[in-house]
Amino acid sequence: MTAVSTQIQLVARPVGWPTHDDFRTVAVELPALADGEVRVNNEFMSVDPYMRGRMNDVKSYTPPFVLGETMTGGAIGRVIASASDELPVGTVVLHQLGWRDIAQADAANFRAVPELPGVPLSAYLGILGMTGLTAYVGLMEIAGLANGETVFISGAAGAVGTAAGQIARLKGASRVIGSAGTAEKVALLTEKYGYDAAFNYKDAPVRQQLADAAPGGIDVYFDNVGGDHLEAALDAFNDGGRAALCGAIVSYNSTERTPGPDNMANIITRGLSLKGFTIGKYLQHFPAFSAEMGSWLSEGKVVFDETVVDGLDNSIDAFLDLMRGANIGKMVVRIS
Amino acid sequence: MTAVSTQIQLVARPVGWPTHDDFRTVAVELPALADGEVRVNNEFMSVDPYMRGRMNDVKSYTPPFVLGETMTGGAIGRVIASASDELPVGTVVLHQLGWRDIAQADAANFRAVPELPGVPLSAYLGILGMTGLTAYVGLMEIAGLANGETVFISGAAGAVGTAAGQIARLKGASRVIGSAGTAEKVALLTEKYGYDAAFNYKDAPVRQQLADAAPGGIDVYFDNVGGDHLEAALDAFNDGGRAALCGAIVSYNSTERTPGPDNMANIITRGLSLKGFTIGKYLQHFPAFSAEMGSWLSEGKVVFDETVVDGLDNSIDAFLDLMRGANIGKMVVRIS
């Protein structure tokens, strides 16, 4: 039994902002299933900022996309044909063979996950998956959030940020402050996601707005942005403050090296710690996270947003919109 | 019994490099000893980079020097008059009442230390004191040095740097690399202090020289300098690398904010950690350090250099020379 899989490939390494010319769509005829393989109909795929780094030909924590080959990334779908006893037809599976409508590979590449009542499958690409885990690990393992501390989160209306704000509160933070780039997002932070204070970083210098929002200083900074946000945090930190560096979206599309914060000396005088992380090194925390997040979701203690773009054909636009900050919550592409 | 103490006071806050006009020398008539007080003849006083920060009127980990009052800092001397049973005449004491030839205060301000055969009292201002402890804590507690790792130390010919290089080796580092600012210092690093490789940061970009000296990358960076050295380290770090930020001498005399490293994103992609510290928060490690360093010194496993400047009158010049890097090893002023 053969089938045709529509797939998105990278054909040129973008310089600065990617354009449609850097990609192509191909139709790949899939061979009959080999022993142990499954064929999966992808229902949702993830677009994430880290993918921009993979479009460059540089050594990083994930290997670069190969020119002329189909890109990869988080996806969730349902087994539609199976030559594996472990994953019968109908099984919902989470995997990394995104950027295509039909994925086919050895069963070892797919992980069966339960369908939770009332929770869309796309949640596995966000709050219940790597996105939620990233927020959880950043706050608890990297920054060591303690009860009663003040937390600042940049890119707070994004998928990781909205999760992080709620986790911070549930884990005992006394004050949670967020920044975002539109008035609509800023309103959502305090009205929906339980932030105590939020500001639009385009309204005034971040240094000033953060100082106003955190008159008692901050203890933990969850950094999704870098640049002027990190600089502002270094000024606002109390002694012993800790930053979890998760993203530096301001530099992803820059073709020049961007100068770092101008107040690095505060790291010494205030005894600060900056620690970067990529979630792939912390997957051992998934069981603890997933049990806790599962309870929070089922008890209605955590809410989440998604921006759903329809159609694999629109996946490049979805990715570009994500880089521009057009999403609220996790950005996903609905494939079928 | 009265006496006259010659003391150095700060009279103006330096802008950029301090000049002699920012200081004055005064003769203070000391009153008779009150009950519980001692009078100490200072034999050596310390000049240290952190003192530059105290000349500014900014909140920091040590309070600013008060204009028109005598400055303070590490000193060691001998009790010459005593109204305290705890510190009889002749006791050698370590204390913070430097920048004067005679110190007088309550005995609680002075700590008795043993005279070690063959070791000059000035060692208590350096390798056996805060200098050695700073190197020890930075490597072991802040950076978590592990056996077999490669260590880079900037400002390596300074007091902290020469101690750090030897401690790193004694604690199992497989390769120790240092940078300094003169050919003479660079030679001392490999010939006397056991560094495996050393370079003059003025010869070529630090990035390039560090890459050449550490073909396998670095795991630990002990930063006494900041600026281009920290930037080079961020490029050279292996995954999971740790930086102990101890000093940022390049920015101490700058009147403008200095841009930070242009490669902060490496902190995320390589899972790096940068942690700043000031030794005052880590004094609880002094007993362990002092036992270990005492043994190393007595077994001849650790050597140290001093740059001794004679005369309290020359203490400002000694401080300025220190800021310019004219010293090899700990810079001290011999007072009597």
Side-chain angles (χ1 to χ4, degrees), chain A residues 59-61 207 223 230-231 235 239 245-248 251-252 257-265 267-278 281, chain B residues 59-61 207 223 230-231 235 239 245-248 251-252 257-265 267-278 281:
Chain A
K59 178 189 159 198
S60 185
Y61 60 99
R207 259 195 174 108
D223 188 11
L230 178 55
E231 199 166 75
D235 267 9
D239 286 0
L245 308 192
C246 177
S251 68
Y252 289 165
R257 285 175 174 264
T258 326
D262 64 11
N263 49 0
M264 296 286 286
I267 299 175
I268 302 171
T269 55
R270 302 188 194 173
L272 308 179
S273 134
L274 273 61
K275 193 161 159 55
F277 73 110
T278 51
K281 298 274 175 65
Chain B
K59 181 190 158 199
S60 185
Y61 60 98
R207 258 195 174 109
D223 187 10
L230 178 55
E231 199 166 74
D235 266 8
D239 285 359
L245 308 191
C246 178
S251 68
Y252 289 164
R257 285 175 174 264
T258 325
D262 65 11
N263 49 0
M264 295 285 286
I267 299 175
I268 302 171
T269 54
R270 301 187 194 173
L272 308 179
S273 133
L274 274 61
K275 193 162 159 55
F277 73 111
T278 51
K281 298 274 176 66

Side-chain angles (χ1 to χ4, degrees), chain B residues 86-151:
Chain B
E86 290 164 25
L87 298 178
V89 169
T91 309
V92 174
V93 290
L94 186 60
H95 61 97
Q96 284 296 312
L97 297 171
W99 294 100
R100 70 200 75 191
D101 57 359
I102 300 178
Q104 179 171 317
D106 190 272
N109 294 282
F110 302 88
R111 185 158 65 92
V113 293
E115 277 189 276
L116 301 179
V119 180
L121 287 189
S122 54
Y124 280 110
L125 302 179
I127 191 82
L128 260 176
M130 290 304 113
T131 304
L133 182 64
T134 299
Y136 185 88
V137 163
L139 287 171
M140 306 312 297
E141 299 298 322
I142 306 295
L145 173 64
N147 221 34
E149 292 191 318
T150 295
V151 178

Side-chain angles (χ1 to χ4, degrees), chain B residues 157-172:
Chain B
V160 171
T162 51
Q166 296 178 84
I167 294 171
R169 156 108 28 233
L170 287 162
K171 286 294 196 176

